[in-house]
């Protein structure tokens, strides 16, 4: 069986019978048992019943996970939560050409389109095609949008690395904002540094 990647805060789309659609996120899970999601808001949503069949789709680091499930329980207090049966069969589709590797590097984010800089961000994953950064918790920032042109800089193997990017997705959770970006231009010396860094991360992950 294909393995699914789950973590708190991961966006998930749930389709229930009666054209009910929930665009929400993962709260928690127990492997082989259940997945907990926020009930969120749904268009024309009637009461969600226990044992109702559903399908779910989530995206993590360029991989789409799709599976069928069932509503195990619905809570309204102290929080509005839905418990879904942990999937037994999972369909996996890879969207990215290159695998992303987890990282934990200090970086600086500059939005060229909106003209602002955020320091002390954290680069959380990287590939030859792009990266994801997490802004400092509770950071107040100007509005920014998908397709904004930006620049990310950090230290790679004791050398300064700077690359132009385009914002591809923005996730805003409770006091946390993550930005997924695609590299638009990498100069050859920087490309070699990046390859070396990714090779190290790949070995460490084995």
């Amino acid at each position: 069986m294909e393995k699914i990647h789950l973590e708190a805060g991961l966006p998930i789309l749930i389709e229930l019978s009666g054209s009910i659609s929930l665009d929400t996120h993962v709260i928690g899970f127990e492997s082989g048992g259940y997945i907990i999601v926020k009930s969120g808001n749904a268009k024309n949503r009637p009461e969600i019943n226990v044992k109702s069949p559903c399908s779910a789709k989530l995206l993590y680091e360029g991989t789409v996970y799709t599976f069928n499930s069932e509503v195990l329980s619905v809570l309204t207090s102290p929080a509005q939560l839905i418990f879904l049966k942990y999937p037994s069969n999972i369909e996996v589709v890879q969207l990215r050409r290159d695998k992303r590797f987890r990282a934990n590097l200090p970086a600086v984010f500059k939005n060229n389109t909106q003209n602002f800089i955020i320091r002390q961000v954290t680069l959380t994953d990287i590939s030859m095609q792009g990266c994801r950064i997490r802004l400092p918790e509770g950071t107040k920032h100007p509005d920014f949008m998908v397709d904004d042109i930006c620049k990310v800089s950090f230290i790679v193997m004791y050398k300064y690395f700077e690359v132009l990017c385009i914002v591809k997705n923005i996730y805003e959770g409770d006091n946390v904002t993550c930005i997924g970006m695609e590299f638009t231009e990498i100069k050859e010396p920087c490309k070699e540094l990046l390859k070396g860094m990714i090779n190290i991360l790949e070995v460490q992950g084995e």
Side-chain angles (χ1 to χ4, degrees):
M1 183 184 78
E2 293 280 2
K3 292 184 178 180
I4 187 171
H5 178 92
L6 290 170
E7 63 181 44
L10 201 63
I12 183 170
L13 177 65
I14 301 171
E15 301 283 347
L16 296 104
S17 59
S19 300
I20 306 169
S21 178
L22 296 176
D23 190 358
T24 182
H25 61 273
V26 176
I27 297 295
F29 65 95
E30 180 177 311
S31 184
Y34 54 80
I35 300 172
I36 310 171
V37 302
K38 255 193 167 181
S39 61
N41 296 318
K43 295 180 179 179
N44 303 317
R45 184 183 70 194
E47 182 180 355
I48 299 174
N49 298 314
V50 173
K51 294 187 178 181
S52 294
C54 64
S55 63
K57 181 181 294 183
L58 58 87
L59 174 67
Y60 177 77
E61 294 187 358
T63 301
V64 178
Y65 300 92
T66 304
F67 57 88
N68 293 321
S69 184
E70 178 183 291
V71 177
L72 296 177
S73 180
V74 180
L75 298 183
T76 57
S77 180
Q80 296 186 351
L81 303 175
I82 301 173
F83 285 70
L84 302 177
K85 184 178 180 181
Y86 200 90
S88 56
N89 293 295
I90 303 163
E91 181 180 343
V92 178
V93 178
Q94 297 287 345
L95 299 182
R96 290 198 180 108
R97 291 173 291 171
D98 296 321
K99 182 179 178 180
R100 286 202 173 186
F101 296 92
R102 290 195 175 191
N104 186 26
L105 296 174
V108 175
F109 173 78
K110 180 181 180 182
N111 189 312
N112 292 354
T113 303
Q114 306 291 347
N115 193 29
F116 65 87
I117 296 176
I118 302 177
R119 305 183 188 277
Q120 298 180 334
V121 306
T122 301
L123 189 146
T124 59
D125 66 50
I126 192 166
S127 74
M128 291 300 297
Q129 303 299 320
C131 67
R132 181 172 62 172
I133 62 170
R134 183 179 66 245
L135 304 188
E137 185 174 342
T139 296
K140 300 297 182 182
H141 55 80
D143 291 335
F144 52 88
M145 302 176 64
V146 170
D147 293 333
D148 277 359
I149 303 299
C150 58
K151 185 179 292 185
V152 175
S153 55
F154 50 94
I155 302 296
V156 178
M157 300 169 68
Y158 304 103
K159 294 186 179 180
Y160 183 74
F161 182 92
E162 186 176 75
V163 61
L164 285 173
C165 312
I166 183 169
V167 174
K168 302 302 291 184
N169 56 73
I170 301 166
Y171 168 71
E172 295 188 77
D174 296 335
N175 297 318
V176 176
T177 299
C178 294
I179 306 171
M181 294 175 290
E182 181 181 296
F183 298 147
T184 59
E185 179 184 344
I186 307 179
K187 297 179 180 178
E188 198 58 40
C190 290
K191 187 177 292 186
E192 292 305 313
L193 282 173
L194 184 57
K195 285 181 180 178
M197 174 187 174
I198 288 175
N199 286 338
I200 292 173
L201 292 173
E202 186 171 15
V203 171
Q204 290 176 342
E206 292 179 348

